[in-house]
Structure formats: structure tokens, C-alpha cells
Amino acid sequence: MQSKISEMIGIKYPIFQGGMAWIADASLAGAVSEAGGLGIIAGGNAPKEVVQAEIKKIKEITDKPFGVNIMLLSPFAEEIVDLVCEEKVPVVTTGAGNPSKYMSKFKEHNIKVIPVIPSIALGARMEKIGADAVIVEGMEAGGHIGKLTTMSLVPQVVDALTIPVIAAGGIGDGRGMAAALMLGAAGVQVGTRFLVAKECTVHENYKSKIIKARDIDTVVTCQHFGHPVRAIKNKLTKEYDQLEKQELKSSDPDTTKFDELGQGALKKAVVDGDTDFGSVMAGQIAGLVKKEETAKEIIESYIAEAKEVIATTYQQWI
Ligand SMILES: O=C(O)COc1ccc(-c2c[nH]c(CNC(=O)Nc3ncc(Sc4ccccn4)s3)n2)cc1
């Protein structure tokens, strides 16, 4: 199942693993790349030496292509840009901001640059300045999100741009992948489903929350203050909800309270396993994720299911 994006990067399957902060390390990304997808190491909010260690580890795990995600809200974003150039990382994805100021440096170093975009406008700007493709992430996704859904945004961006579009947000199995390809995407990016990969090193409590999650169990916090983030409902999201209700009544809202509440919340869930007061970031598709599997099993099930559903429903509907 090749496409413009798999040929561009030299991967067997057009499946990216989301570069999820604190979660996407060399263990997960290396297994995904070895299985034929594009494993992506998270830059997150980590300093250069932490990300460099993961890059060195993945180079020992696989000689296949891999990527690094640069989270542009990170105070270390600039040094991660330098790092990916020094380490000759083949693919960079960016999130949570506009990477324009780094684009020329990426191009000078022959790095394929694939920004996440939440709208056509930013996608058009990215194409104009030389992005190799874009990731269109719908608000069904976990973590920091935009406002539009995958089903709505993907076809509009496909029509508006000429570079390949990778669909992300709510793509939990081969059916979702097939649907994204029907919308014109050249590939998909998967986050939530990989949270339960055997090679994913998140705390078992986090994986358990994903496996037990129902369709209605995620919520978006900080819609009015700071950065909207989708996570599994818990005591932390309830505190956020109460704080938002309180600050919305205020004539001079104090947004620092949101930063204080969120400080270290993702690490608390991922590393410490505190799924009550940590941030269990996950997409709406968590309700579909029922078991832990290897990255290889996950990727091969996406491909087999996508091929099956395209072939069978084609016969049914023509
Ligand atoms: O025009 C502009 O500058 C705004 O541009 C953008 C606005 C939003 C985005 C965007 C939305 N989603 C993504 C990619 N996904 C993500 O980045 N997901 C994330 N999950 C957890 C994260 S850690 C975090 C989260 C919030 C605050 C601090 N740290 S980042 N990018 C991309 C570009």
C-alpha cells in the first residue's frame, strides 16, 4: 500500500506514529519504523540532550527512516531544530505552532518537513514556504488540538493544496485509514492506538485507562484559556472545568492558574502512573482501542483491514 508520502520518505506503509510528548521515545518509534511505518520521536518540552539520547537509541534499533516531532511551544524548540540538523534526522514533524522561521534551515539540511496544520490558511502558508507535506489533525485527536474535525478538514485541505496530506485524529483502525484515503489523504498519523503498543513505555495505569475508555470518556480542557487539550476525564479535568467556569465569570481572568494546574501533568500520568491528577491525553478513538499489541501487529492490522474494507465495500457500492 504505497503512496506519494511513503515513496517520498522511503517507508513501506504510509502510517506515521504521532510524536506524542513524554510518550514517543526510541522504543516505540524504533518498533514502528522497523514494522514499516514512520516512527517519530517526541521533542515535547524536553531539552536537547534528552532528545539526542533517543535519537542515538533509535539509530541502534533501526536503519529505516524515522522522524522527530518539534513541539513549537517548547522553550527548547530552537535547540531541537539545531539537533535534528546535526543528527541528520530524515523527517521532522512540527506541532502547536508555525515553523516558518525554521523552514530554510530544515531545507538546507535536506530534512523532509511535515507540519501539523489546524486550518487551510496555515497549510497554504506551509506549502508556499516549502513544506514537503502536511499533517491535518482533527480535534478528535488527543493532546493539544485545533477546532475542526478530521472528516471536515482533510478534504478541504486536500482540495486546497498540491503537497501530500496525512490525516490524523480519530483513526483507530484500518477502517479509519481507508476513510482517510477516500478523503484524499496520502497517509495517516496514529497516536491513541499506539499508546497501547507493547513497545510504548507509558505507565501501565495509562494503558489501562485507554483500554477501559468508552466513546464518551474524553474531554477538552482549556478551551477558553491557554491551549485546548483532549484527555481522558479524571479528577484533573474536573479541576480544570471548575477553574474555567470560575475564571469565565471574572472580568480579569488569571490564566497563570491554568499553567500551574497543567505543570508536569502529562509526566505525572505517563511516568508516575497517576491517572487521577495526571493528564491522560488521548483521542476520542480511545473507546475503540481494546488490547495491547506490538507495533508490528498494529501496523499490519491497519493495512490488512484497510485493503479488505476498500475491496469489499467497493464491490458493494459500485
Ligand atoms: O498559526 C499559528 O501559529 C497556530 O498554528 C498552529 C496551531 C495549532 C497546531 C496544532 C494543533 N495540534 C497540533 C499537533 N498536536 C500537538 O501538538 N499535540 C500535543 N499534545 C500535547 C502537547 S504538549 C503541550 C500541549 C499544550 C501546551 C503545552 N504542551 S503538544 N498542532 C499547529 C499549528
Side-chain angles (χ1 to χ4, degrees):
M1 186 176 266
Q2 286 284 323
S3 76
K4 282 185 287 185
I5 198 66
S6 52
E7 287 159 8
M8 176 198 289
I9 296 173
I11 51 178
K12 188 175 180 185
Y13 303 123
I15 298 177
F16 288 18
Q17 158 251 308
M20 303 169 279
W22 277 101
I23 295 166
D25 58 10
S27 169
L28 175 60
V32 169
S33 288
E34 270 298 282
L38 184 72
I40 298 175
I41 287 168
N45 286 293
K48 181 174 185 174
E49 58 276 7
V50 170
V51 184
Q52 186 164 36
E54 294 307 314
I55 292 171
K56 298 215 180 289
K57 278 183 209 164
I58 198 170
K59 287 179 177 177
E60 289 161 16
I61 294 170
T62 183
D63 58 6
K64 293 186 174 71
F66 68 93
V68 170
N69 181 61
I70 299 176
M71 207 276 287
L72 294 167
L73 290 172
S74 168
F76 303 105
E78 191 113 6
E79 59 184 65
I80 305 298
V81 170
D82 295 339
L83 175 65
V84 297
C85 296
E86 291 157 18
E87 291 287 342
K88 298 181 172 32
V89 173
V91 181
V92 161
T93 61
T94 67
N98 179 336
S100 299
K101 65 182 177 181
Y102 305 122
M103 196 61 87
S104 56
K105 187 159 194 176
F106 290 138
K107 305 306 279 184
E108 281 159 26
H109 289 82
N110 297 315
I111 293 174
K112 297 289 182 211
V113 188
I114 309 178
V116 170
I117 57 154
S119 67
I120 291 176
L122 189 60
R125 283 212 301 277
M126 293 298 102
E127 179 173 66
K128 193 170 176 205
I129 63 171
D132 296 280
V134 291
I135 297 169
V136 172
E137 181 190 76
M139 53 79 83
E140 302 92 324
H144 177 42
I145 53 175
K147 296 187 183 310
L148 300 179
T149 64
T150 306
M151 180 70 88
S152 161
L153 194 52
V154 168
Q156 293 183 71
V157 175
V158 165
D159 290 349
L161 306 186
T162 56
I163 55 176
V165 168
I166 291 113
I171 300 172
D173 63 13
R175 293 172 300 176
M177 180 171 184
L181 299 178
M182 293 303 110
L183 292 174
V188 295
Q189 178 164 284
V190 174
T192 301
R193 181 81 183 269
F194 279 123
L195 286 171
V196 298
K198 286 186 175 161
E199 300 90 346
C200 181
T201 54
V202 294
H203 197 285
E204 282 310 310
N205 293 354
Y206 199 121
K207 291 190 179 184
S208 175
K209 288 288 268 190
I210 303 300
I211 288 168
K212 290 175 182 169
R214 299 166 302 166
D215 53 344
I216 55 170
D217 282 343
T218 69
V219 69
V220 180
T221 57
C222 296
Q223 296 199 57
H224 304 95
F225 304 98
H227 308 288
V229 168
R230 181 179 301 284
I232 303 274
K233 287 175 195 167
N234 63 6
K235 290 175 181 159
L236 175 66
T237 63
K238 284 187 177 60
E239 283 192 28
Y240 266 121
D241 193 38
Q242 284 157 4
L243 186 56
E244 274 191 285
K245 287 192 174 99
Q246 170 190 307
E247 293 307 309
L248 277 171
K249 289 178 193 153
S250 164
S251 56
D252 178 22
D254 178 0
T255 57
T256 59
K257 291 178 182 173
F258 293 89
D259 298 334
E260 285 155 20
L261 192 55
Q263 191 59 38
L266 185 53
K267 178 177 182 283
K268 213 179 274 184
V270 170
V271 178
D272 308 334
D274 181 353
T275 52
D276 288 328
F277 293 101
S279 179
V280 186
M281 292 186 187
Q284 290 180 319
I285 207 62
L288 189 82
V289 180
K290 295 301 179 199
K291 61 179 178 177
E292 192 180 25
E293 297 174 289
T294 65
K296 178 177 167 63
E297 286 166 336
I298 292 170
I299 286 179
E300 289 179 355
S301 72
Y302 270 76
I303 298 300
E305 287 169 4
K307 285 181 175 176
E308 168 67 15
V309 79
I310 290 167
T312 51
T313 47
Y314 168 75
Q315 294 301 338
Q316 185 181 351
W317 294 110
I318 53 168

